[in-house]
Amino acid sequence: AHALAGRTGERRLLLFSDGADTSGGPSEESILSYCRNHNITIDVIALETPQLDRLLIERLTSRTGGTMLTASDAQRIPE
């Protein structure tokens, strides 16, 4: 997201995630605040795993004007 902050035009961040926090990054509110302040839209391809945090992903996308799509098999996502 930081790389998008200084750019002009539409800014979208595309995430491939199940929403599970496995590395302890910034808080949800911190991410949302940063994206709102820099007009960055979050779109997510949600990987349907047992760890899927659908509510978190829906909050990130809806609060930034983005969309969420789901993928049941990460191996089938085109490169």
Side-chain angles (χ1 to χ4, degrees), residues 3-51:
L4 297 175
R7 298 186 183 243
T8 59
E10 185 176 23
R11 292 174 287 245
R12 298 184 92 86
L13 179 63
L14 177 60
L15 302 176
F16 294 88
S17 179
D18 63 5
D21 183 357
T22 59
S23 64
S27 71
E28 175 185 347
E29 191 49 47
S30 173
I31 293 167
L32 287 170
S33 176
Y34 186 88
C35 288
R36 282 190 298 248
N37 289 337
H38 292 91
N39 296 316
I40 298 171
T41 301
I42 300 174
D43 296 305
V44 179
I45 296 178
L47 304 175
E48 292 181 340
T49 68
Q51 297 82 23

